[in-house]
Amino acid sequence: MARANDSAMLGKASEDGEQVSVKQAFGYSTVGVALGFALAYPGASFIRELIGQKGLALSPVIALAVVWPVSAGLLYVEPWVQSQGWWNSFAKVWSWGVAILLCGVPLITAVAMPFPVGEGWPAGLPTVVASCPIVGLFVFLIVRRRWRERKQNP
């Protein structure tokens, strides 16, 4: 199998050039989708408020049900795609496609078909609520690192 390009976005499969199992693909894609959603959702909420739409959009959360398996499928086939002779000319398209899938879908669905809740909320509150996943993710990472450090250094 040819050496994989290091610029691929989906993770472990591109790092070692080996095929991942379906279980690993879903696990790694869960992390990628959660991070993409956590980064894009506050921006989508902010854009909605800027253009005068009220409430918190539920459509990005619903879209995760479609994005997650698609992302897992892409992660599963990525080593094969990278082993093809045309990969070097296709790598940038692949990276952009994955970025649009993970970050663009929450943005587009939030603005185009929002399925809003909390339309009576005061201005700014939907963006604050939408920011909770990324704040929670950072808090989790900090707590996990501190726990590991304490576990290694009793």
Side-chain angles (χ1 to χ4, degrees):
M1 192 180 272
R3 175 71 179 130
N5 186 344
D6 292 332
S7 68
M9 297 198 45
L10 282 176
K12 184 169 176 34
S14 63
E15 290 174 4
D16 58 20
E18 295 178 14
Q19 183 66 40
V20 296
S21 69
V22 173
K23 183 178 177 181
Q24 288 174 319
F26 272 100
Y28 295 135
S29 69
T30 300
V31 173
V33 168
L35 185 58
F37 174 80
L39 292 173
Y41 197 46
S45 181
F46 183 68
I47 290 169
R48 284 180 37 78
E49 289 195 59
L50 284 178
I51 61 176
Q53 295 180 353
K54 296 187 181 245
L56 185 65
L58 286 182
S59 57
V61 178
I62 296 167
L64 288 178
V66 175
V67 171
W68 182 44
V70 171
S71 174
L74 290 173
L75 180 59
Y76 186 74
V77 300
E78 187 176 19
W80 176 82
V81 172
Q82 289 180 352
S83 69
Q84 302 306 306
W86 42 264
W87 169 252
N88 289 335
S89 61
F90 185 69
K92 195 169 272 192
V93 173
W94 183 273
S95 297
W96 274 100
V98 170
I100 289 169
L101 176 69
L102 297 181
C103 293
V105 169
L107 288 168
I108 293 166
T109 57
V111 174
M113 48 185 164
F115 304 122
V117 295
E119 293 179 88
W121 291 355
L125 185 59
T127 301
V128 169
V129 171
S131 299
C132 289
I134 194 71
V135 171
L137 180 63
F138 281 121
V139 168
F140 168 75
L141 292 174
I142 291 169
V143 168
R144 183 183 73 155
R145 181 176 179 129
R146 301 268 175 161
W147 179 74
R148 283 185 175 177
E149 287 174 355
R150 189 164 12 127
K151 187 177 174 183
Q152 290 176 351
N153 300 325

